[in-house]
Amino acid sequence: MAPLILFHINEKPVHVPSFPGIFLSRADGETLGLKDGQHADVQIGNKKSAAYIFLQNDLTEGMGKVDSALYSQLGIPLQNIRWNVRFHKESGHLKLGPFLSILTEIRQDGNGQPHFGSIHCFAEELHAFTQKNGGYLTLMGLPSTGSSIGAQTSFYLDDDHWKQTTLPLPDVVYNRIHSRKTERSEMFKLLYSQLIDEGTVIFNPHFLSKWEVHQFLRNESHLLPYIPLTDLYTRSGLAAYLDEFGAAFIKPIHGSQGRGIIEIKRKNGSYHISQTTYHQIRDHQISDLQEAETLIAAWIGKRACIIQQSLQLISLDDKKIDFRLLVHPNRSKKWTVTSAVARLSAENQFVSNLAQGGTINKPLTVLREFFTSDKAHYIYSLMKELAVESSKTLSESIEGVAGEFGLDIGVDQSGKTWIIEVNTKPSKQSEQIQTPFRPSTKAIWNFAEILWQERRLQDD
């Protein structure tokens, strides 16, 4: 375990020719294997700078000081920062980390401050957790056309204000770009490749389409019984689904937040069609299948979609219910469920996403409304097992480093469990926060710290 040391800016720099100083307690120095007056190369992110190490009796364990010149040479703002510290004796490298950056879209609010959209509050929470547990968090957007990527323009938090500056490239990047179009852009591809070339580890490298997820999961025989029948949508295939199930869902393969999903039901010789939009549901009742197919074609346009069997999921007071499970690697890099909620749709809605007016509750509380306590616990345990197995399968199937999945799991009226959908960039609004830090905040920092340690070991 790397020592955790809070470094204050040294107000009385030691003037050693060319080299600034970094000051540690004797206890921390002994733990790291450092000697008083020793020379070391200090590294933060992709920047290194030479420094002298001084061990001081007046510093307590876990407290340190750093000359402002050192941070300036490393491109780090002059702030008091708590770091995890590693020292490699053979190479003489003293490493401070993890330096984590969230890559996302950045816009300005009405006061000229940067805003990070739906993850703004999460970013501030992750910053607080990082400072408590060691490391540095910044927010970075895609660079403008023609700008250099060697030193990235980023935002850091200082006295509750986000400030913009040029910073070194981080150890780890958490990809939270929300636009698939942006992620397919040449600028994203350029930034991604240059970060990789510099040794930065990027996790959650890209979106997965619903069809990609389905293909990966259905290759695992033990998951197949829990996957709804799914195909790429074609007009000719719609009749077969309605003949077999009486109803079907049509979903854009690149959709999110429940938008654009179409439900079609056949009843008493007519077809009832509904679609979720940003703010409402569009409803139509049509007597002719070809006319229904034409309407659906107009709604989906050129978007590729999947068609999926309709499931008779449990509902409460006309509110559809599914379950969102967040899954992350633990300290041993084994996938584990970190958060689970039941999501109840708005009344008479057929999707439960919070963006469409849904609400959340505890999974067991909801399951006990329909099943005995023993069966509710069994279903909940099976959900978590399916979430872990699905995440493991996907992480082994995709290119790059996966660090997070959000699974939507349904339970039908007989108690059978279904894997409805997997999200590579799940919403941060579907967690019950009962402590200052939500489970995914802790999980993201833990994973970043593991990746930092692995990177530093490889460097040495």
Side-chain angles (χ1 to χ4, degrees):
M1 182 68 70
L4 185 61
I5 302 174
L6 174 61
F7 287 95
H8 292 267
I9 303 300
N10 186 33
E11 297 178 356
K12 297 179 180 179
V14 174
H15 295 285
V16 176
S18 302
F19 297 128
I22 188 167
F23 305 84
L24 304 171
S25 70
R26 291 198 175 273
D28 286 325
E30 290 173 3
T31 299
L32 290 163
L34 290 162
K35 297 179 180 179
D36 188 34
Q38 181 174 345
H39 171 273
D41 288 322
V42 180
Q43 182 169 7
I44 298 174
N46 73 331
K47 290 286 188 179
K48 292 180 183 177
S49 182
Y52 278 108
I53 308 299
F54 298 97
L55 306 183
Q56 295 193 324
N57 294 324
D58 61 344
L59 288 173
T60 59
E61 188 174 359
M63 301 297 291
K65 293 185 293 185
V66 59
D67 282 345
S68 60
L70 179 60
Y71 272 2
S72 296
Q73 290 171 15
L74 290 168
I76 299 297
L78 300 183
Q79 295 178 291
N80 298 331
I81 304 172
R82 183 177 281 106
W83 297 100
N84 287 277
V85 184
R86 297 182 64 93
F87 178 66
H88 189 257
K89 189 174 182 180
E90 287 72 20
S91 65
H93 291 163
L94 187 71
K95 293 158 181 187
L96 311 183
F99 180 5
L100 167 64
S101 189
I102 302 175
L103 174 62
T104 192
E105 296 89 347
I106 300 173
R107 58 180 176 81
Q108 286 190 333
D109 63 18
N111 298 317
Q113 273 280 293
H115 199 276
F116 314 119
S118 62
I119 64 166
H120 191 92
C121 292
F122 171 78
E124 293 182 340
E125 185 180 312
L126 183 57
H127 174 272
F129 190 82
T130 300
Q131 270 300 280
K132 179 181 178 182
N133 292 275
Y136 199 61
L137 177 76
T138 64
L139 276 287
M140 60 191 290
L142 291 183
S144 57
T145 304
S147 62
S148 171
I149 298 178
Q152 183 63 32
T153 298
S154 300
F155 292 87
Y156 69 97
L157 195 60
D158 184 28
D159 291 332
D160 297 325
H161 291 281
W162 289 97
K163 297 181 178 180
Q164 185 173 358
T165 191
T166 299
L167 294 168
L169 295 181
D171 300 303
V172 180
V173 167
Y174 173 33
N175 178 15
R176 288 295 304 198
I177 292 289
H178 294 92
S179 164
R180 288 171 170 80
K181 181 179 179 180
T182 299
E183 210 175 69
R184 292 192 295 266
S185 70
E186 289 303 315
M187 187 52 68
F188 178 87
K189 294 174 183 176
L190 178 63
L191 175 61
Y192 185 92
S193 63
Q194 293 197 10
L195 287 169
I196 295 297
D197 289 345
E198 287 289 332
T200 299
V201 183
I202 305 173
F203 68 94
N204 290 14
H206 55 81
F207 283 103
L208 292 175
S209 74
K210 292 179 175 64
W211 183 240
E212 287 177 301
V213 169
H214 176 72
Q215 290 179 303
F216 287 138
L217 295 184
R218 75 178 182 181
N219 288 332
E220 298 296 322
S221 58
H222 64 294
L223 294 177
L224 201 54
Y226 306 98
I227 301 173
L229 184 64
T230 305
D231 289 289
L232 285 173
Y233 174 73
T234 61
R235 289 182 66 155
S236 59
L238 177 59
Y241 268 76
L242 293 176
D243 287 341
E244 185 168 357
F245 304 109
F249 286 103
I250 301 166
K251 305 177 180 181
I253 67 170
H254 296 299
S256 63
Q257 296 184 326
R259 293 192 296 264
I261 295 177
I262 298 169
E263 182 183 35
I264 178 169
K265 298 178 181 178
R266 185 174 61 189
K267 188 174 182 181
N268 299 325
S270 64
Y271 301 90
H272 185 87
I273 309 172
S274 304
Q275 184 190 44
T276 58
T277 64
Y278 282 90
H279 303 294
Q280 62 183 357
I281 292 182
R282 298 192 291 190
D283 284 303
H284 287 268
Q285 189 159 330
I286 297 172
S287 58
D288 180 71
L289 179 58
Q290 288 189 338
E291 188 180 343
E293 290 171 350
T294 300
L295 176 62
I296 290 171
W299 279 357
I300 66 177
K302 295 182 179 180
R303 291 179 299 173
C305 293
I306 58 169
I307 184 169
Q308 196 168 72
Q309 74 177 91
S310 179
L311 303 169
Q312 299 301 310
L313 300 182
I314 56 176
S315 61
L316 192 63
D317 300 327
D318 293 323
K319 297 177 180 180
K320 302 293 184 183
I321 297 169
D322 70 9
F323 300 82
R324 165 60 63 89
L325 282 73
L326 293 182
V327 192
H328 299 87
N330 63 13
R331 299 292 299 180
S332 301
K333 297 186 77 172
K334 292 183 179 180
W335 290 95
T336 185
V337 174
T338 53
S339 173
V341 296
R343 303 189 304 179
L344 285 72
S345 72
E347 193 168 346
N348 296 317
Q349 279 263 17
F350 59 85
V351 294
S352 60
N353 303 70
L354 300 188
Q356 301 293 337
T359 58
I360 61 175
N361 204 337
K362 294 180 180 179
L364 281 174
T365 299
V366 172
L367 287 170
R368 289 193 187 107
E369 292 283 335
F370 303 91
F371 308 104
T372 65
S373 181
D374 286 347
K375 188 166 185 178
H377 277 89
Y378 168 77
I379 293 170
Y380 188 36
S381 296
L382 179 58
M383 279 185 200
K384 291 189 283 188
E385 184 179 340
L386 291 173
V388 167
E389 286 297 308
S390 299
S391 300
K392 182 174 181 290
T393 296
L394 291 173
S395 68
E396 293 171 352
S397 302
I398 66 174
E399 293 185 8
V401 179
E404 179 176 46
F405 292 108
L407 279 90
D408 297 341
I409 295 181
V411 178
D412 67 24
Q413 294 169 5
S414 70
K416 181 172 172 53
T417 305
W418 297 91
I419 303 168
I420 298 174
E421 194 169 314
V422 184
N423 299 276
T424 50
K425 298 180 186 179
S427 167
K428 294 301 173 188
Q429 299 170 333
S430 59
E431 291 178 88
Q432 290 185 320
I433 306 173
Q434 298 173 332
T435 65
F437 302 107
R438 72 192 82 190
S440 67
T441 298
K442 301 174 185 178
I444 292 300
W445 181 89
N446 278 330
F447 193 50
E449 201 265 345
I450 292 167
L451 295 175
W452 168 68
Q453 295 220 29
E454 288 180 346
R455 178 187 176 186
R456 292 303 159 225
L457 288 172
Q458 290 172 358
D459 289 346
D460 292 327

